Structures are given as structure tokens and as C-alpha cells.
Amino acid sequence: MLLRPLSLALLLLSNPAAAQIREVGNIVYDGVPETPPELAAAIAPYYEARSAVFESWMADGSMLIATRFGDTNQIHRLTAPGAARTQLTFFREPVNTATAQPGSDRFLYMRDVGGAEYYQAWLRGLNGAETRITAPRTRNSDFHFTPDGQWVVWSQVTPGDPNYDILMAPVADPEARRVIHEGQGAMSPLQISADGKTVLATRYTSAAAVELFVLDVASGKLTPVGGKAGYQGGALTADGKGIVTLSDAGSDVTRPVVIDIATGKVRDLDPKAMWPAEAFDLTPDGKLIAYSVNEQGYNWIVIRDLASGKDVPTGKLPLGVLTGLGFSPDGKQLGFSLSTSTTSGDAWSLDLASGKATQWTHSELAGLDPASLVDPDLISFPTFDKRQIPAFIYRPKGASGKLPVVIQIHGGPEGQEQPSFNPRRQSWVKELGAAVIIPNVRGSSGYGKTYLGLDNGARREDSVKDIGALLDWVATQPDLDASRVAVVGQSYGGYMVLAVAGHYNDRIAGAIDLYGISNWVTFLQNTEGYRRDLRRAEYGDERDPKMRAVLEKISPLRMAEAMKKPMMVFQGANDPRVPRTESEQLVAKLRAQGTQVWYVLARDEGHGIYKKPNQEAVRATEVNFLKSVLKVP
């Protein structure tokens, strides 16, 4: 039986002493003390800081970026490096992606309502006129135009359906959209050929099990290519006879390869790769590939001739995190985003002829003093099976004595903490005087497929043991206070926090769980239909009695009695991934046993916090909670 969201009134019945509800804007605070005004004022500048993310190149060589000037990210246009950022979308809901329509002054963007993730898409011109592309009450993603901009393909799924279909429409008449493939599982297009007759498609089952297909539009015939592997992305070669993709087949790391469609023969473009490639793009003529390499969390770019394998020289970039590679329509520039620990993200381009990198935006740090921001140190610590677990540690400048510690655990689980600009971490360092540790426990991406698979299925709690080993390491450090450690995590990281609170209650001072999984069985039953089978592939199938027994055993709700330390729980009311029932059943149980819980609900958010007023409010509450449990004056 599916669970319905528990009412706040029912939650409060379990702990009448905490029955204090405040509503401020779209945030509901249940049993949460007010944040002191001076603390709220100190935290606000961290979320005033802006960033800019490269999205796409327009036909005229201008650049589309996502950035925020109001309360949410919107799409802006730059005509040249350093030019004014002209805002093109104006909505209360965030708009984080844009794809230019080739040969036109229009672009396609997606947005949802309240974080529910049922994305709709519109085609919008620079003059503001727009046309809806998608059908109501559907979730849509992965849009790709033909090179002439006349046709568009994408994936669509309806509520409760685990199977994505692939649709195609003439851009001039979106109402003529039609299903060209009724998919099984998480199908999506990667590219449509210039003649509109062939679609390169993929089916995602898990990070390690991805399939590639060539779809004939006229007949609907789907031809598999290359078997299952950890493929990432894909593009047809210029002659249409091959597929360029990132693959870990025959290797522990993903690297660029070319797969012959007819024979399945693979040509490895980086056979000596030591670190995984993460993203790539081809020049419009298909002659060059640009890809990003992830070395211990830091990125660098390789540009290589597809035929000869020779590299194109590139200039030196700041050490940081790269996203969003994309060649300009003329193939002469590569656009991307770059963020470092102490500079917020910005849009850049790389000129292929000169190798010169140019920064297009210079995003503001608002009231933050750049000199106060800190770079992390890359460390590793031993765990129970003798492996070394990588982590970054941020330490306050000029600190003395034993420091309180905040351990932030990423979600995913196939995520990776990287040293990008992060106002939350910087605020913990500066406002709490804390050392902040961001570990990449087993199951994290960025370290090869062996490491990625170490937490699968019944080995789920081995990653929790890695945090136990980190607590051991903290206790050996002369500058860290093992009696003042808090753990923080969101989504899967929220599950990790709850599991740590259950297994290592006596070794932490408090915990912050943001939309975490509290019961694996109810989570799998209640997550949106389009995600359920994907999550079963990663976590295990609760319909299998043996697996269900494992999932019930390791569910944090089953170990709630051990959770005695104070906890803050945050939840987006519209979260389709980890429904609010996961948070509210945990809050009710903890309060019933007398554990102190601060519960914060955002009525207009889903899986995350994307609106600036909400970010400021929730992050300030987090700092207030951490000051309390870590005994920071």
C-alpha cells in the first residue's frame, strides 16, 4: 500500500513539547527555533553569490548561459566575452537548461512547477515569442535537433509509467509530434541524423549497465550496438557508420571510443587512460572530439583528432571543476563552465586555433571576501578492508585548537564530491570555525567501475563503514575534535546520514538529513514510477523476499531507537524521488521516542532547494542547528 504524506498535526501529536509551527513564506518550521537575525544576515551573502553555467551556442556565435539575477536561475545571452548578460526567460520557477535551435534565433528550454520534475518544453525566440513543444501531464527530457533545426526528438514518460517513449516533431508544427519508438525502461535519444532518418538512442538501467541502439525512424527498427557497458553519451560519426561514446568496456575507467555499427569493432581513442572521461562533444564536421578528464575530482580538457588520434594544443586553465562542453556552430570554439573552490562558476570558451581560453562571465561573490574563502586539501584515509578512501578537507584559515567537524556525504549514490565553489561549505568553515570533510566513499563515481560497484546490493552498508573509518581518522588528528562531529547529507546522502546516526550515535553530536531515504521498502514503493525500476537496479528489488529482508534490515527506520542525538530534517513537499513520507515517518518515530528533531518543509520545492529565499532560510537554519550541536558560540 502506498503511504500518504503524514500531516503536521499527526507529527506534533508524537511530541507535544515540540508543537511549535511557524510558516514563513513557503517554509514550514516544525519544532525549530527562530534563527537569530544576526546569523541570518551573516549567511545571506553566501547565497547572494552568483554563478554562470554555459548552456549552448546560438547560430550567430552568441552564448546562452544559466544564471540568477532574481530568486531563480534563468536563461541569459551574451553576444561576446564580458558583454552584458541579457535575460531571456522570466519565471518564478528555475530554468536551468537551454538548447539553441540550429540556424535560428530561438532556443528550447524546460521548466517544471514546484520541483515536481514533470518538465515541459518551449521554443522561445530572442523577441520573447514562444511555442510549446510538449504535451501536458508528461515528463520530457533529452531534446536534440537535426543539424538544420527543422526536427526535434526527445524522450517522454507519463505518470506511473516506467517506460520512456521517443518522440519526434517538426519544429514548425509541434502538435504533429508522434511516438517513433515505444520504449522499454529509461530510453532516451542522443542524436538525430542530418537527414532525420536515424536516431542514436540509449537505455539506462544503471551506471554500469547502459545500452546503445540505432533507431530507424521509418520502420521503427531498433538495432543494438556494443552490448551493455558504462556508456556515457553518444554521437554518430560524420559518415554515420560509427558511434563515438565514452565506455568502460574492457577498462576500469571510461574513455572515448568509436564503435563500428556494422561489426561492433571498437577503436579506443585513449587506451592508456588512467582517469575517467566524463563528458564530450564533437565538432559539427565530426573531425575533433573534446572531452573532460576527472583526476581525483579535478578536471582538464583533451581535444583530439578523431582520425589520427593527435591532440590539439590547449591553454592552461585554472585548477577546478568543468561542466557542459559544447563546440560552437562553426567548430572554432569550445564552450564550457569552470568553477574553483574560491571562485563561483563562470562560462568560458577555448579557441581551437590559438589554444587561448577566454572567460565570458565574471560572476559576483556578492558581499563575500575572496580572501576569506578556503581551498581544500585532498586526503585519503584507511577503511575496514584496507582501501584508501579519498576526501577533501576544508580548514579555517589561521585556526588554532581543536576544530569542530562537519562531514558532508554526497547523494547519488553514484555521485562525487568535487572542489567546486560551494557557499554552504564555505559558510560552515567561516561561520562555525569548523573543518569540513567531504568524502567519496565506495560507490562514488570518478574512481573507476570497480570502486563504483563496491556498495551494490547487499554490500550497501559497506559505504556506511567507510564513514565509521572516517570517524576513526578524525579521532587521530591533533587539530580535530572527535567529540564535536556532525554529519550532513541529502537524498542518498541523507540515507547515509541516518545510517551513521543509527550505527555510530555515540560518535556524533548531531545530524542533518535532507530528503533522505528512511525505509528502503517504502521508498521503492513510493518513488515516482519512471524511477522505480532504475532504483531497484541499484539498491535491490523489494519484491524479492530475500532482497526485501536485506533492505528492511538496513533501513534506518529499523535502527531509529539508537538515534539519540539531535537531528534536523528537511523535505521538499513535491519531491518525486524521495517522497516526503520518508522524512515524516522518521520524524514521527524519533519524536515518539524523545529524540529532538527540527523539521523543515518547503512547500514549493522538490528534490533540492533551488529558490534563493528558500536557500537562505534553510541554510541559515542548518548553521543555527550546527552551532547548537557543535557547541559553537
Side-chain angles (χ1 to χ4, degrees), residues 22-293:
R22 293 181 292 114
E23 296 191 27
V24 182
N26 283 300
I27 304 292
V28 180
Y29 300 92
D30 174 7
V32 181
E34 291 193 36
T35 300
E38 60 274 15
L39 176 58
I43 297 302
Y46 293 92
Y47 299 95
E48 291 287 356
R50 274 191 271 267
S51 64
V53 179
F54 167 78
E55 293 297 326
S56 189
W57 293 97
M58 297 289 284
D60 62 1
S62 59
M63 183 184 285
L64 297 178
I65 63 168
T67 191
R68 177 192 55 76
F69 275 82
D71 289 341
T72 59
N73 271 4
Q74 298 295 321
I75 301 304
H76 295 65
R77 174 174 174 251
L78 290 88
T79 56
R85 289 171 271 191
T86 302
Q87 189 165 338
L88 301 178
T89 62
F90 301 82
F91 301 103
R92 297 184 65 179
E93 300 292 346
V95 181
N96 291 313
T97 62
T99 303
Q101 178 190 3
S104 77
D105 66 352
R106 300 193 296 177
F107 63 95
L108 185 147
Y109 73 90
M110 299 186 298
R111 75 175 191 273
D112 69 350
V113 177
E117 298 188 10
Y118 270 83
Y119 297 105
Q120 295 292 301
W122 286 262
L123 195 62
R124 189 177 182 93
L126 296 182
N127 62 0
E130 65 178 26
T131 302
R132 187 175 187 145
I133 299 293
T134 52
R137 296 180 296 282
T138 59
R139 171 187 162 89
N140 303 271
S141 60
D142 304 295
F143 292 83
H144 299 276
F145 291 99
T146 50
D148 62 7
Q150 299 304 302
W151 293 85
V152 61
V153 293
W154 70 96
S155 61
Q156 173 189 283
V157 70
T158 54
D161 188 353
N163 302 311
Y164 287 71
D165 297 328
I166 297 178
L167 277 70
M168 183 174 178
V171 174
D173 183 15
E175 293 297 323
R177 67 181 84 89
R178 64 187 179 93
V179 175
I180 59 172
H181 176 70
E182 293 186 0
Q184 292 293 316
M187 294 285 296
S188 61
L190 295 171
Q191 185 186 8
I192 182 169
S193 61
D195 59 11
K197 295 180 179 180
T198 303
V199 171
L200 177 61
T202 183
R203 178 189 290 129
Y204 182 97
T205 301
S206 70
V210 182
E211 299 166 273
L212 297 173
F213 302 91
V214 173
L215 172 64
D216 181 76
V217 173
S219 67
K221 182 182 178 182
L222 196 67
T223 303
V225 180
K228 286 186 179 182
Y231 297 120
Q232 296 180 27
L236 296 167
T237 54
D239 60 8
K241 295 181 179 180
I243 297 172
V244 182
T245 185
L246 304 181
S247 170
D248 63 5
S251 172
D252 197 51
V253 299
T254 50
R255 75 280 184 218
V257 302
V258 181
I259 305 174
D260 185 276
I261 294 173
T263 67
K265 185 178 179 180
V266 177
R267 179 162 62 93
D268 198 329
L269 297 176
D270 195 356
K272 297 181 180 180
M274 297 293 292
W275 298 100
E278 290 186 324
F280 79 94
D281 193 32
L282 299 183
T283 48
D285 61 10
K287 293 182 178 180
L288 298 178
I289 181 174
Y291 60 96
S292 171
V293 177

Side-chain angles (χ1 to χ4, degrees), residues 282-347:
L282 299 183
T283 48
D285 61 10
K287 293 182 178 180
L288 298 178
I289 181 174
Y291 60 96
S292 171
V293 177
N294 180 339
E295 183 174 351
Q296 294 278 45
Y298 294 96
N299 295 116
W300 41 282
I301 292 174
V302 175
I303 301 178
R304 184 161 291 173
D305 184 275
L306 214 60
S308 69
K310 293 182 179 180
D311 287 351
V312 174
T314 59
K316 189 175 181 180
L317 293 169
L319 190 63
V321 178
L322 294 165
T323 57
L325 301 181
F327 280 109
S328 58
D330 61 9
K332 295 181 179 180
Q333 296 188 83
L334 178 70
F336 57 93
S337 307
L338 172 65
S339 171
T340 73
S341 295
T342 57
T343 59
S344 58
D346 276 302

Side-chain angles (χ1 to χ4, degrees), residues 47 407-417 422 424-425 428 487-498 511-518 520 539 568-572 575 577-578 583 606-610 615 618-619 622:
Y47 299 95
I407 298 173
Q408 183 185 9
I409 309 170
H410 69 69
E414 306 103 337
Q416 182 189 26
E417 290 288 8
N422 189 294
R424 200 165 168 222
R425 297 173 200 154
W428 293 341
V487 287
V488 182
Q490 57 200 50
S491 191
Y492 176 80
Y495 153 73
M496 289 285 289
V497 161
L498 297 176
I512 299 179
D513 158 38
L514 299 101
Y515 41 95
I517 299 158
S518 64
W520 286 109
Y539 300 130
M568 173 180 162
V569 177
F570 168 82
Q571 180 69 47
D575 193 336
R577 302 186 183 206
V578 182
S583 289
H607 198 71
I609 311 173
Y610 294 101
Q615 289 177 342
V618 175
R619 301 314 184 202
E622 288 178 346

Side-chain angles (χ1 to χ4, degrees), residues 361-596:
T361 61
H362 293 80
S363 296
E364 303 87 345
L365 284 175
L368 298 181
D369 177 8
S372 70
L373 304 178
V374 297
D375 286 307
D377 295 317
L378 178 61
I379 63 167
S380 64
F381 57 89
T383 191
F384 68 95
D385 59 358
K386 311 305 180 186
R387 295 180 187 274
Q388 290 290 318
I389 305 299
F392 292 94
I393 181 168
Y394 296 73
R395 288 182 170 94
K397 292 182 178 180
S400 60
K402 281 187 171 288
L403 304 172
V405 177
V406 179
I407 298 173
Q408 183 185 9
I409 309 170
H410 69 69
E414 306 103 337
Q416 182 189 26
E417 290 288 8
Q418 293 182 267
S420 56
F421 180 74
N422 189 294
R424 200 165 168 222
R425 297 173 200 154
Q426 297 288 350
S427 72
W428 293 341
V429 172
K430 183 68 163 50
E431 306 303 325
L432 297 171
V436 177
I437 305 175
I438 52 173
N440 283 306
V441 297
R442 68 190 63 218
S444 301
S445 58
Y447 305 95
K449 66 182 179 184
T450 299
Y451 195 78
L452 186 73
L454 288 175
D455 67 342
N456 286 354
R459 295 179 291 177
R460 181 65 46 205
E461 286 195 326
D462 284 355
S463 59
V464 182
K465 293 178 184 177
D466 289 341
I467 300 298
L470 177 54
L471 295 172
D472 292 339
W473 181 85
V474 167
T476 67
Q477 303 305 301
D479 62 334
L480 303 182
D481 188 346
S483 70
R484 293 192 293 159
V485 178
V487 287
V488 182
Q490 57 200 50
S491 191
Y492 176 80
Y495 153 73
M496 289 285 289
V497 161
L498 297 176
V500 169
H503 286 289
Y504 306 111
N505 174 77
D506 60 337
R507 303 180 65 186
I508 63 171
I512 299 179
D513 158 38
L514 299 101
Y515 41 95
I517 299 158
S518 64
N519 182 305
W520 286 109
V521 173
T522 58
F523 160 70
L524 290 167
Q525 291 173 338
N526 291 299
T527 191
E528 275 282 3
Y530 64 82
R531 290 179 47 81
R532 190 170 296 122
D533 287 344
L534 298 177
R535 297 300 83 194
R536 283 170 174 157
E538 169 65 34
Y539 300 130
D541 193 333
E542 85 287 359
R543 297 168 299 183
D544 177 348
K546 291 183 178 179
M547 193 67 233
R548 188 184 186 98
V550 172
L551 292 171
E552 288 179 340
K553 180 181 178 181
I554 67 173
S555 289
L557 206 61
R558 296 293 292 268
M559 53 186 97
E561 289 183 1
M563 302 177 191
K564 303 297 185 183
K565 299 297 174 62
M567 187 178 296
M568 173 180 162
V569 177
F570 168 82
Q571 180 69 47
N574 306 314
D575 193 336
R577 302 186 183 206
V578 182
R580 61 188 286 186
T581 47
E582 289 301 302
S583 289
E584 295 185 345
Q585 64 191 2
L586 175 76
V587 172
K589 187 162 186 176
L590 292 179
R591 285 183 170 171
Q593 70 188 31
T595 300
Q596 180 188 3

